[in-house]
Amino acid sequence: GNSLYTTYILKEIFNKKITLKLIKTFPSYDFNLSKYYSYLTNQIDDNNTSEVLSCLEFRVNKIELKELVHYSGHVENDLKVLSSVISENSSIGGLRLYHDSFRRYNIEKLEKSGHINKIYLDIAIWLEKKGFYKFTKSYYHLFKYYIKAEKYKEIKKYAKNNFLSKSLFNGYSKNLIKNNYDKISYVASKTKDWSLFIFISELNRTLNSSLSEYHDEFLQHFEEYFNLIISIYGLQKAYEMLFFEG
């Protein structure tokens, strides 16, 4: 609302020389801030930067963002223009939008144009190239974006007997494994794939027998497991494990 608009304007004029000419360039306040968001996006070289940021449900650093957008050379300038609607914290993963209203503004435009699934698919392809098991953001978000892009076959290829062992070997906890289990279950239901139902049934049985509420081998041996992750993958991987667990 009005306080959010005031916040945006204050962030925009920070470190700028305040003049009447500058103030007059700002659009008048409207309820959903669409005038201000239009004012911002009209200034950037390529709106793909704001589109990608709006479709991302996780933080990215600048290098990752440049890999995601179509024209990486525009990113630095685009981020300067969009600075008032962006929150940046390198210690917890980098950039993300400051408020969901700007996300909704861009997503509504993408939905009307029919381009939103293309953005979702671009994000999914980028995550997969990073390595599903290797890259924590990929393990956490890849299936979600393939579902958003309605590319269910891309998820089915991960439904293999080594899914659980590879997940544990790469440092993922029961909660993160269960998160992907739920996505595979959704795909099985959506596509009526009986072989996938069998897979998730067996996976569920294994999860409940080894990582149940009353007999959780992961928690029982967490200290040894955590130290092993550090020795194999390093401190960064261990930090990501804790970060994604909240």
Side-chain angles (χ1 to χ4, degrees), residues 14-48:
F14 185 71
N15 286 335
K16 288 184 180 178
K17 183 179 180 181
I18 303 173
T19 64
L20 182 61
K21 183 179 179 180
L22 174 64
I23 299 300
K24 284 183 176 181
T25 62
F26 299 139
S28 58
Y29 166 77
D30 59 337
F31 177 72
N32 59 7
L33 301 182
S34 59
K35 289 181 181 178
Y36 179 68
Y37 295 146
S38 177
Y39 157 79
L40 281 182
T41 54
N42 286 336
Q43 293 182 68
I44 61 179
D45 297 317
D46 179 11
N47 201 39
N48 185 238

PDB file of all heavy atoms in Angstrom, residues 14-48:
ATOM      1  N   PHE A  14      17.852   6.913  -2.411  1.00  0.00           N
ATOM      2  CA  PHE A  14      19.032   6.736  -1.553  1.00  0.00           C
ATOM      3  C   PHE A  14      20.294   6.930  -2.384  1.00  0.00           C
ATOM      4  O   PHE A  14      20.462   6.367  -3.457  1.00  0.00           O
ATOM      5  CB  PHE A  14      19.012   5.341  -0.929  1.00  0.00           C
ATOM      6  CG  PHE A  14      20.114   5.106   0.059  1.00  0.00           C
ATOM      7  CD1 PHE A  14      20.106   5.740   1.292  1.00  0.00           C
ATOM      8  CD2 PHE A  14      21.171   4.259  -0.246  1.00  0.00           C
ATOM      9  CE1 PHE A  14      21.120   5.518   2.211  1.00  0.00           C
ATOM     10  CE2 PHE A  14      22.191   4.041   0.666  1.00  0.00           C
ATOM     11  CZ  PHE A  14      22.163   4.681   1.899  1.00  0.00           C
ATOM     12  N   ASN A  15      21.203   7.752  -1.890  1.00  0.00           N
ATOM     13  CA  ASN A  15      22.475   8.066  -2.569  1.00  0.00           C
ATOM     14  C   ASN A  15      22.284   8.833  -3.879  1.00  0.00           C
ATOM     15  O   ASN A  15      23.162   8.850  -4.727  1.00  0.00           O
ATOM     16  CB  ASN A  15      23.293   6.799  -2.847  1.00  0.00           C
ATOM     17  CG  ASN A  15      23.935   6.247  -1.585  1.00  0.00           C
ATOM     18  OD1 ASN A  15      24.176   6.990  -0.638  1.00  0.00           O
ATOM     19  ND2 ASN A  15      24.214   4.953  -1.584  1.00  0.00           N
ATOM     20  N   LYS A  16      21.112   9.439  -4.065  1.00  0.00           N
ATOM     21  CA  LYS A  16      20.890  10.300  -5.230  1.00  0.00           C
ATOM     22  C   LYS A  16      20.699  11.740  -4.768  1.00  0.00           C
ATOM     23  O   LYS A  16      20.259  11.986  -3.640  1.00  0.00           O
ATOM     24  CB  LYS A  16      19.638   9.851  -6.001  1.00  0.00           C
ATOM     25  CG  LYS A  16      19.788   8.552  -6.762  1.00  0.00           C
ATOM     26  CD  LYS A  16      18.527   8.252  -7.555  1.00  0.00           C
ATOM     27  CE  LYS A  16      18.662   6.945  -8.326  1.00  0.00           C
ATOM     28  NZ  LYS A  16      17.415   6.628  -9.072  1.00  0.00           N
ATOM     29  N   LYS A  17      21.019  12.656  -5.644  1.00  0.00           N
ATOM     30  CA  LYS A  17      20.764  14.063  -5.358  1.00  0.00           C
ATOM     31  C   LYS A  17      19.277  14.334  -5.573  1.00  0.00           C
ATOM     32  O   LYS A  17      18.751  14.153  -6.665  1.00  0.00           O
ATOM     33  CB  LYS A  17      21.593  14.957  -6.282  1.00  0.00           C
ATOM     34  CG  LYS A  17      21.432  16.441  -5.978  1.00  0.00           C
ATOM     35  CD  LYS A  17      22.302  17.290  -6.896  1.00  0.00           C
ATOM     36  CE  LYS A  17      22.129  18.776  -6.580  1.00  0.00           C
ATOM     37  NZ  LYS A  17      22.956  19.628  -7.474  1.00  0.00           N
ATOM     38  N   ILE A  18      18.607  14.741  -4.496  1.00  0.00           N
ATOM     39  CA  ILE A  18      17.152  14.935  -4.558  1.00  0.00           C
ATOM     40  C   ILE A  18      16.844  16.307  -5.142  1.00  0.00           C
ATOM     41  O   ILE A  18      17.236  17.337  -4.596  1.00  0.00           O
ATOM     42  CB  ILE A  18      16.522  14.799  -3.157  1.00  0.00           C
ATOM     43  CG1 ILE A  18      16.873  13.431  -2.555  1.00  0.00           C
ATOM     44  CG2 ILE A  18      15.009  14.971  -3.226  1.00  0.00           C
ATOM     45  CD1 ILE A  18      16.447  13.273  -1.117  1.00  0.00           C
ATOM     46  N   THR A  19      16.143  16.297  -6.269  1.00  0.00           N
ATOM     47  CA  THR A  19      15.738  17.537  -6.929  1.00  0.00           C
ATOM     48  C   THR A  19      14.256  17.455  -7.258  1.00  0.00           C
ATOM     49  O   THR A  19      13.656  16.366  -7.274  1.00  0.00           O
ATOM     50  CB  THR A  19      16.524  17.761  -8.229  1.00  0.00           C
ATOM     51  OG1 THR A  19      16.202  16.703  -9.155  1.00  0.00           O
ATOM     52  CG2 THR A  19      18.026  17.771  -7.973  1.00  0.00           C
ATOM     53  N   LEU A  20      13.666  18.585  -7.528  1.00  0.00           N
ATOM     54  CA  LEU A  20      12.259  18.622  -7.919  1.00  0.00           C
ATOM     55  C   LEU A  20      12.049  17.844  -9.212  1.00  0.00           C
ATOM     56  O   LEU A  20      11.030  17.143  -9.372  1.00  0.00           O
ATOM     57  CB  LEU A  20      11.800  20.076  -8.095  1.00  0.00           C
ATOM     58  CG  LEU A  20      10.318  20.274  -8.452  1.00  0.00           C
ATOM     59  CD1 LEU A  20       9.419  19.706  -7.357  1.00  0.00           C
ATOM     60  CD2 LEU A  20      10.031  21.761  -8.673  1.00  0.00           C
ATOM     61  N   LYS A  21      13.005  17.940 -10.121  1.00  0.00           N
ATOM     62  CA  LYS A  21      12.918  17.201 -11.394  1.00  0.00           C
ATOM     63  C   LYS A  21      12.862  15.702 -11.150  1.00  0.00           C
ATOM     64  O   LYS A  21      12.085  14.976 -11.786  1.00  0.00           O
ATOM     65  CB  LYS A  21      14.119  17.553 -12.272  1.00  0.00           C
ATOM     66  CG  LYS A  21      14.088  16.894 -13.638  1.00  0.00           C
ATOM     67  CD  LYS A  21      15.298  17.313 -14.475  1.00  0.00           C
ATOM     68  CE  LYS A  21      15.270  16.630 -15.837  1.00  0.00           C
ATOM     69  NZ  LYS A  21      16.447  17.024 -16.663  1.00  0.00           N
ATOM     70  N   LEU A  22      13.698  15.213 -10.202  1.00  0.00           N
ATOM     71  CA  LEU A  22      13.703  13.788  -9.873  1.00  0.00           C
ATOM     72  C   LEU A  22      12.360  13.371  -9.286  1.00  0.00           C
ATOM     73  O   LEU A  22      11.790  12.342  -9.682  1.00  0.00           O
ATOM     74  CB  LEU A  22      14.827  13.477  -8.878  1.00  0.00           C
ATOM     75  CG  LEU A  22      14.867  12.044  -8.316  1.00  0.00           C
ATOM     76  CD1 LEU A  22      15.146  11.048  -9.434  1.00  0.00           C
ATOM     77  CD2 LEU A  22      15.912  11.929  -7.216  1.00  0.00           C
ATOM     78  N   ILE A  23      11.857  14.162  -8.343  1.00  0.00           N
ATOM     79  CA  ILE A  23      10.579  13.837  -7.687  1.00  0.00           C
ATOM     80  C   ILE A  23       9.448  13.775  -8.704  1.00  0.00           C
ATOM     81  O   ILE A  23       8.581  12.893  -8.643  1.00  0.00           O
ATOM     82  CB  ILE A  23      10.260  14.868  -6.584  1.00  0.00           C
ATOM     83  CG1 ILE A  23      11.342  14.861  -5.500  1.00  0.00           C
ATOM     84  CG2 ILE A  23       8.886  14.588  -5.976  1.00  0.00           C
ATOM     85  CD1 ILE A  23      11.519  13.542  -4.803  1.00  0.00           C
ATOM     86  N   LYS A  24       9.460  14.674  -9.677  1.00  0.00           N
ATOM     87  CA  LYS A  24       8.382  14.723 -10.670  1.00  0.00           C
ATOM     88  C   LYS A  24       8.402  13.531 -11.624  1.00  0.00           C
ATOM     89  O   LYS A  24       7.402  13.265 -12.301  1.00  0.00           O
ATOM     90  CB  LYS A  24       8.467  16.030 -11.468  1.00  0.00           C
ATOM     91  CG  LYS A  24       7.975  17.255 -10.696  1.00  0.00           C
ATOM     92  CD  LYS A  24       8.012  18.501 -11.564  1.00  0.00           C
ATOM     93  CE  LYS A  24       7.437  19.695 -10.831  1.00  0.00           C
ATOM     94  NZ  LYS A  24       7.441  20.926 -11.677  1.00  0.00           N
ATOM     95  N   THR A  25       9.528  12.823 -11.686  1.00  0.00           N
ATOM     96  CA  THR A  25       9.581  11.660 -12.584  1.00  0.00           C
ATOM     97  C   THR A  25       8.823  10.465 -11.999  1.00  0.00           C
ATOM     98  O   THR A  25       8.429   9.560 -12.738  1.00  0.00           O
ATOM     99  CB  THR A  25      11.038  11.211 -12.830  1.00  0.00           C
ATOM    100  OG1 THR A  25      11.646  10.813 -11.589  1.00  0.00           O
ATOM    101  CG2 THR A  25      11.843  12.327 -13.467  1.00  0.00           C
ATOM    102  N   PHE A  26       8.600  10.470 -10.674  1.00  0.00           N
ATOM    103  CA  PHE A  26       7.913   9.340 -10.055  1.00  0.00           C
ATOM    104  C   PHE A  26       6.415   9.385 -10.360  1.00  0.00           C
ATOM    105  O   PHE A  26       5.792  10.448 -10.292  1.00  0.00           O
ATOM    106  CB  PHE A  26       8.110   9.340  -8.529  1.00  0.00           C
ATOM    107  CG  PHE A  26       9.540   9.220  -8.108  1.00  0.00           C
ATOM    108  CD1 PHE A  26      10.040   9.978  -7.055  1.00  0.00           C
ATOM    109  CD2 PHE A  26      10.404   8.349  -8.761  1.00  0.00           C
ATOM    110  CE1 PHE A  26      11.360   9.867  -6.659  1.00  0.00           C
ATOM    111  CE2 PHE A  26      11.733   8.231  -8.369  1.00  0.00           C
ATOM    112  CZ  PHE A  26      12.211   8.998  -7.323  1.00  0.00           C
ATOM    113  N   PRO A  27       5.818   8.263 -10.685  1.00  0.00           N
ATOM    114  CA  PRO A  27       4.377   8.241 -10.966  1.00  0.00           C
ATOM    115  C   PRO A  27       3.576   8.426  -9.685  1.00  0.00           C
ATOM    116  O   PRO A  27       4.081   8.193  -8.583  1.00  0.00           O
ATOM    117  CB  PRO A  27       4.162   6.836 -11.546  1.00  0.00           C
ATOM    118  CG  PRO A  27       5.235   6.011 -10.932  1.00  0.00           C
ATOM    119  CD  PRO A  27       6.425   6.932 -10.810  1.00  0.00           C
ATOM    120  N   SER A  28       2.337   8.842  -9.819  1.00  0.00           N
ATOM    121  CA  SER A  28       1.483   9.004  -8.643  1.00  0.00           C
ATOM    122  C   SER A  28       1.132   7.639  -8.053  1.00  0.00           C
ATOM    123  O   SER A  28       1.148   6.618  -8.750  1.00  0.00           O
ATOM    124  CB  SER A  28       0.204   9.752  -9.032  1.00  0.00           C
ATOM    125  OG  SER A  28      -0.499   9.043 -10.052  1.00  0.00           O
ATOM    126  N   TYR A  29       0.803   7.652  -6.782  1.00  0.00           N
ATOM    127  CA  TYR A  29       0.469   6.409  -6.085  1.00  0.00           C
ATOM    128  C   TYR A  29      -0.858   5.854  -6.585  1.00  0.00           C
ATOM    129  O   TYR A  29      -1.822   6.592  -6.781  1.00  0.00           O
ATOM    130  CB  TYR A  29       0.398   6.679  -4.576  1.00  0.00           C
ATOM    131  CG  TYR A  29      -0.248   5.563  -3.795  1.00  0.00           C
ATOM    132  CD1 TYR A  29       0.449   4.395  -3.521  1.00  0.00           C
ATOM    133  CD2 TYR A  29      -1.562   5.675  -3.344  1.00  0.00           C
ATOM    134  CE1 TYR A  29      -0.138   3.359  -2.815  1.00  0.00           C
ATOM    135  CE2 TYR A  29      -2.161   4.645  -2.636  1.00  0.00           C
ATOM    136  CZ  TYR A  29      -1.441   3.493  -2.377  1.00  0.00           C
ATOM    137  OH  TYR A  29      -2.030   2.465  -1.685  1.00  0.00           O
ATOM    138  N   ASP A  30      -0.906   4.538  -6.823  1.00  0.00           N
ATOM    139  CA  ASP A  30      -2.180   3.864  -7.068  1.00  0.00           C
ATOM    140  C   ASP A  30      -2.216   2.599  -6.215  1.00  0.00           C
ATOM    141  O   ASP A  30      -1.191   2.115  -5.749  1.00  0.00           O
ATOM    142  CB  ASP A  30      -2.395   3.538  -8.548  1.00  0.00           C
ATOM    143  CG  ASP A  30      -1.316   2.643  -9.124  1.00  0.00           C
ATOM    144  OD1 ASP A  30      -0.207   2.610  -8.560  1.00  0.00           O
ATOM    145  OD2 ASP A  30      -1.566   1.988 -10.138  1.00  0.00           O
ATOM    146  N   PHE A  31      -3.391   2.046  -6.015  1.00  0.00           N
ATOM    147  CA  PHE A  31      -3.610   1.013  -5.002  1.00  0.00           C
ATOM    148  C   PHE A  31      -2.689  -0.195  -5.163  1.00  0.00           C
ATOM    149  O   PHE A  31      -2.092  -0.662  -4.201  1.00  0.00           O
ATOM    150  CB  PHE A  31      -5.075   0.565  -5.016  1.00  0.00           C
ATOM    151  CG  PHE A  31      -5.364  -0.540  -4.043  1.00  0.00           C
ATOM    152  CD1 PHE A  31      -5.392  -0.281  -2.676  1.00  0.00           C
ATOM    153  CD2 PHE A  31      -5.589  -1.833  -4.474  1.00  0.00           C
ATOM    154  CE1 PHE A  31      -5.644  -1.297  -1.758  1.00  0.00           C
ATOM    155  CE2 PHE A  31      -5.839  -2.854  -3.567  1.00  0.00           C
ATOM    156  CZ  PHE A  31      -5.878  -2.578  -2.205  1.00  0.00           C
ATOM    157  N   ASN A  32      -2.559  -0.724  -6.379  1.00  0.00           N
ATOM    158  CA  ASN A  32      -1.737  -1.924  -6.584  1.00  0.00           C
ATOM    159  C   ASN A  32      -0.327  -1.609  -7.082  1.00  0.00           C
ATOM    160  O   ASN A  32       0.421  -2.527  -7.464  1.00  0.00           O
ATOM    161  CB  ASN A  32      -2.425  -2.907  -7.526  1.00  0.00           C
ATOM    162  CG  ASN A  32      -2.700  -2.294  -8.895  1.00  0.00           C
ATOM    163  OD1 ASN A  32      -2.256  -1.175  -9.172  1.00  0.00           O
ATOM    164  ND2 ASN A  32      -3.407  -3.013  -9.739  1.00  0.00           N
ATOM    165  N   LEU A  33       0.030  -0.326  -7.082  1.00  0.00           N
ATOM    166  CA  LEU A  33       1.368   0.141  -7.470  1.00  0.00           C
ATOM    167  C   LEU A  33       1.722  -0.186  -8.923  1.00  0.00           C
ATOM    168  O   LEU A  33       2.897  -0.167  -9.299  1.00  0.00           O
ATOM    169  CB  LEU A  33       2.445  -0.441  -6.541  1.00  0.00           C
ATOM    170  CG  LEU A  33       2.307  -0.130  -5.053  1.00  0.00           C
ATOM    171  CD1 LEU A  33       3.474  -0.723  -4.271  1.00  0.00           C
ATOM    172  CD2 LEU A  33       2.232   1.364  -4.804  1.00  0.00           C
ATOM    173  N   SER A  34       0.730  -0.472  -9.741  1.00  0.00           N
ATOM    174  CA  SER A  34       1.002  -0.849 -11.134  1.00  0.00           C
ATOM    175  C   SER A  34       1.669   0.291 -11.909  1.00  0.00           C
ATOM    176  O   SER A  34       2.498   0.042 -12.788  1.00  0.00           O
ATOM    177  CB  SER A  34      -0.281  -1.285 -11.841  1.00  0.00           C
ATOM    178  OG  SER A  34      -1.243  -0.250 -11.838  1.00  0.00           O
ATOM    179  N   LYS A  35       1.333   1.543 -11.581  1.00  0.00           N
ATOM    180  CA  LYS A  35       1.966   2.680 -12.261  1.00  0.00           C
ATOM    181  C   LYS A  35       3.464   2.727 -11.961  1.00  0.00           C
ATOM    182  O   LYS A  35       4.275   2.977 -12.857  1.00  0.00           O
ATOM    183  CB  LYS A  35       1.306   3.997 -11.838  1.00  0.00           C
ATOM    184  CG  LYS A  35      -0.097   4.203 -12.363  1.00  0.00           C
ATOM    185  CD  LYS A  35      -0.641   5.555 -11.908  1.00  0.00           C
ATOM    186  CE  LYS A  35      -2.059   5.771 -12.414  1.00  0.00           C
ATOM    187  NZ  LYS A  35      -2.621   7.067 -11.937  1.00  0.00           N
ATOM    188  N   TYR A  36       3.811   2.479 -10.697  1.00  0.00           N
ATOM    189  CA  TYR A  36       5.228   2.509 -10.324  1.00  0.00           C
ATOM    190  C   TYR A  36       5.973   1.334 -10.950  1.00  0.00           C
ATOM    191  O   TYR A  36       7.091   1.491 -11.455  1.00  0.00           O
ATOM    192  CB  TYR A  36       5.384   2.483  -8.804  1.00  0.00           C
ATOM    193  CG  TYR A  36       6.826   2.493  -8.361  1.00  0.00           C
ATOM    194  CD1 TYR A  36       7.619   3.623  -8.557  1.00  0.00           C
ATOM    195  CD2 TYR A  36       7.404   1.373  -7.772  1.00  0.00           C
ATOM    196  CE1 TYR A  36       8.952   3.631  -8.164  1.00  0.00           C
ATOM    197  CE2 TYR A  36       8.734   1.386  -7.382  1.00  0.00           C
ATOM    198  CZ  TYR A  36       9.503   2.518  -7.581  1.00  0.00           C
ATOM    199  OH  TYR A  36      10.827   2.527  -7.207  1.00  0.00           O
ATOM    200  N   TYR A  37       5.352   0.162 -10.957  1.00  0.00           N
ATOM    201  CA  TYR A  37       5.998  -1.014 -11.537  1.00  0.00           C
ATOM    202  C   TYR A  37       6.168  -0.860 -13.053  1.00  0.00           C
ATOM    203  O   TYR A  37       7.183  -1.282 -13.614  1.00  0.00           O
ATOM    204  CB  TYR A  37       5.207  -2.280 -11.210  1.00  0.00           C
ATOM    205  CG  TYR A  37       5.193  -2.604  -9.732  1.00  0.00           C
ATOM    206  CD1 TYR A  37       4.076  -3.202  -9.138  1.00  0.00           C
ATOM    207  CD2 TYR A  37       6.286  -2.324  -8.923  1.00  0.00           C
ATOM    208  CE1 TYR A  37       4.066  -3.503  -7.781  1.00  0.00           C
ATOM    209  CE2 TYR A  37       6.280  -2.614  -7.573  1.00  0.00           C
ATOM    210  CZ  TYR A  37       5.165  -3.203  -7.005  1.00  0.00           C
ATOM    211  OH  TYR A  37       5.156  -3.510  -5.667  1.00  0.00           O
ATOM    212  N   SER A  38       5.199  -0.241 -13.678  1.00  0.00           N
ATOM    213  CA  SER A  38       5.314   0.041 -15.114  1.00  0.00           C
ATOM    214  C   SER A  38       6.427   1.058 -15.367  1.00  0.00           C
ATOM    215  O   SER A  38       7.216   0.924 -16.317  1.00  0.00           O
ATOM    216  CB  SER A  38       3.989   0.571 -15.655  1.00  0.00           C
ATOM    217  OG  SER A  38       4.091   0.913 -17.014  1.00  0.00           O
ATOM    218  N   TYR A  39       6.515   2.056 -14.503  1.00  0.00           N
ATOM    219  CA  TYR A  39       7.572   3.073 -14.577  1.00  0.00           C
ATOM    220  C   TYR A  39       8.954   2.419 -14.496  1.00  0.00           C
ATOM    221  O   TYR A  39       9.870   2.767 -15.247  1.00  0.00           O
ATOM    222  CB  TYR A  39       7.348   4.075 -13.445  1.00  0.00           C
ATOM    223  CG  TYR A  39       8.557   4.867 -13.002  1.00  0.00           C
ATOM    224  CD1 TYR A  39       9.003   5.969 -13.722  1.00  0.00           C
ATOM    225  CD2 TYR A  39       9.243   4.513 -11.828  1.00  0.00           C
ATOM    226  CE1 TYR A  39      10.113   6.701 -13.295  1.00  0.00           C
ATOM    227  CE2 TYR A  39      10.342   5.236 -11.400  1.00  0.00           C
ATOM    228  CZ  TYR A  39      10.773   6.331 -12.137  1.00  0.00           C
ATOM    229  OH  TYR A  39      11.865   7.054 -11.720  1.00  0.00           O
ATOM    230  N   LEU A  40       9.102   1.434 -13.593  1.00  0.00           N
ATOM    231  CA  LEU A  40      10.384   0.752 -13.438  1.00  0.00           C
ATOM    232  C   LEU A  40      10.714  -0.106 -14.660  1.00  0.00           C
ATOM    233  O   LEU A  40      11.810  -0.005 -15.221  1.00  0.00           O
ATOM    234  CB  LEU A  40      10.356  -0.150 -12.196  1.00  0.00           C
ATOM    235  CG  LEU A  40      10.548   0.495 -10.832  1.00  0.00           C
ATOM    236  CD1 LEU A  40      10.532  -0.575  -9.751  1.00  0.00           C
ATOM    237  CD2 LEU A  40      11.855   1.274 -10.764  1.00  0.00           C
ATOM    238  N   THR A  41       9.793  -0.958 -15.056  1.00  0.00           N
ATOM    239  CA  THR A  41      10.076  -1.911 -16.131  1.00  0.00           C
ATOM    240  C   THR A  41      10.279  -1.218 -17.469  1.00  0.00           C
ATOM    241  O   THR A  41      10.964  -1.748 -18.346  1.00  0.00           O
ATOM    242  CB  THR A  41       8.962  -2.968 -16.250  1.00  0.00           C
ATOM    243  OG1 THR A  41       7.696  -2.323 -16.400  1.00  0.00           O
ATOM    244  CG2 THR A  41       8.917  -3.844 -15.006  1.00  0.00           C
ATOM    245  N   ASN A  42       9.704  -0.043 -17.629  1.00  0.00           N
ATOM    246  CA  ASN A  42       9.914   0.704 -18.870  1.00  0.00           C
ATOM    247  C   ASN A  42      11.325   1.288 -18.962  1.00  0.00           C
ATOM    248  O   ASN A  42      11.767   1.680 -20.040  1.00  0.00           O
ATOM    249  CB  ASN A  42       8.897   1.844 -18.993  1.00  0.00           C
ATOM    250  CG  ASN A  42       7.509   1.339 -19.343  1.00  0.00           C
ATOM    251  OD1 ASN A  42       7.363   0.258 -19.917  1.00  0.00           O
ATOM    252  ND2 ASN A  42       6.490   2.109 -19.006  1.00  0.00           N
ATOM    253  N   GLN A  43      12.039   1.323 -17.831  1.00  0.00           N
ATOM    254  CA  GLN A  43      13.392   1.889 -17.827  1.00  0.00           C
ATOM    255  C   GLN A  43      14.482   0.866 -18.106  1.00  0.00           C
ATOM    256  O   GLN A  43      15.600   1.236 -18.448  1.00  0.00           O
ATOM    257  CB  GLN A  43      13.684   2.522 -16.457  1.00  0.00           C
ATOM    258  CG  GLN A  43      12.871   3.747 -16.130  1.00  0.00           C
ATOM    259  CD  GLN A  43      13.287   4.314 -14.786  1.00  0.00           C
ATOM    260  OE1 GLN A  43      14.400   4.825 -14.616  1.00  0.00           O
ATOM    261  NE2 GLN A  43      12.416   4.206 -13.804  1.00  0.00           N
ATOM    262  N   ILE A  44      14.167  -0.410 -17.924  1.00  0.00           N
ATOM    263  CA  ILE A  44      15.222  -1.409 -18.041  1.00  0.00           C
ATOM    264  C   ILE A  44      15.389  -1.860 -19.481  1.00  0.00           C
ATOM    265  O   ILE A  44      14.466  -1.807 -20.291  1.00  0.00           O
ATOM    266  CB  ILE A  44      14.985  -2.621 -17.105  1.00  0.00           C
ATOM    267  CG1 ILE A  44      13.683  -3.333 -17.444  1.00  0.00           C
ATOM    268  CG2 ILE A  44      14.983  -2.192 -15.660  1.00  0.00           C
ATOM    269  CD1 ILE A  44      13.430  -4.535 -16.569  1.00  0.00           C
ATOM    270  N   ASP A  45      16.597  -2.330 -19.791  1.00  0.00           N
ATOM    271  CA  ASP A  45      16.930  -2.715 -21.164  1.00  0.00           C
ATOM    272  C   ASP A  45      16.169  -3.958 -21.613  1.00  0.00           C
ATOM    273  O   ASP A  45      15.785  -4.074 -22.766  1.00  0.00           O
ATOM    274  CB  ASP A  45      18.443  -2.980 -21.275  1.00  0.00           C
ATOM    275  CG  ASP A  45      19.258  -1.727 -20.997  1.00  0.00           C
ATOM    276  OD1 ASP A  45      18.858  -0.663 -21.493  1.00  0.00           O
ATOM    277  OD2 ASP A  45      20.267  -1.814 -20.287  1.00  0.00           O
ATOM    278  N   ASP A  46      15.969  -4.879 -20.682  1.00  0.00           N
ATOM    279  CA  ASP A  46      15.342  -6.147 -21.051  1.00  0.00           C
ATOM    280  C   ASP A  46      14.498  -6.610 -19.874  1.00  0.00           C
ATOM    281  O   ASP A  46      15.027  -6.955 -18.825  1.00  0.00           O
ATOM    282  CB  ASP A  46      16.412  -7.194 -21.381  1.00  0.00           C
ATOM    283  CG  ASP A  46      15.816  -8.543 -21.757  1.00  0.00           C
ATOM    284  OD1 ASP A  46      14.587  -8.594 -21.959  1.00  0.00           O
ATOM    285  OD2 ASP A  46      16.567  -9.516 -21.837  1.00  0.00           O
ATOM    286  N   ASN A  47      13.176  -6.632 -20.056  1.00  0.00           N
ATOM    287  CA  ASN A  47      12.297  -6.986 -18.946  1.00  0.00           C
ATOM    288  C   ASN A  47      12.445  -8.440 -18.529  1.00  0.00           C
ATOM    289  O   ASN A  47      11.875  -8.864 -17.530  1.00  0.00           O
ATOM    290  CB  ASN A  47      10.833  -6.702 -19.298  1.00  0.00           C
ATOM    291  CG  ASN A  47       9.965  -6.571 -18.062  1.00  0.00           C
ATOM    292  OD1 ASN A  47      10.389  -5.998 -17.068  1.00  0.00           O
ATOM    293  ND2 ASN A  47       8.763  -7.134 -18.096  1.00  0.00           N
ATOM    294  N   ASN A  48      13.204  -9.229 -19.280  1.00  0.00           N
ATOM    295  CA  ASN A  48      13.442 -10.616 -18.896  1.00  0.00           C
ATOM    296  C   ASN A  48      14.087 -10.711 -17.520  1.00  0.00           C
ATOM    297  O   ASN A  48      13.861 -11.677 -16.781  1.00  0.00           O
ATOM    298  CB  ASN A  48      14.313 -11.302 -19.945  1.00  0.00           C
ATOM    299  CG  ASN A  48      14.518 -12.773 -19.686  1.00  0.00           C
ATOM    300  OD1 ASN A  48      15.641 -13.237 -19.562  1.00  0.00           O
ATOM    301  ND2 ASN A  48      13.434 -13.536 -19.601  1.00  0.00           N
TER     302      ASN A  48
END
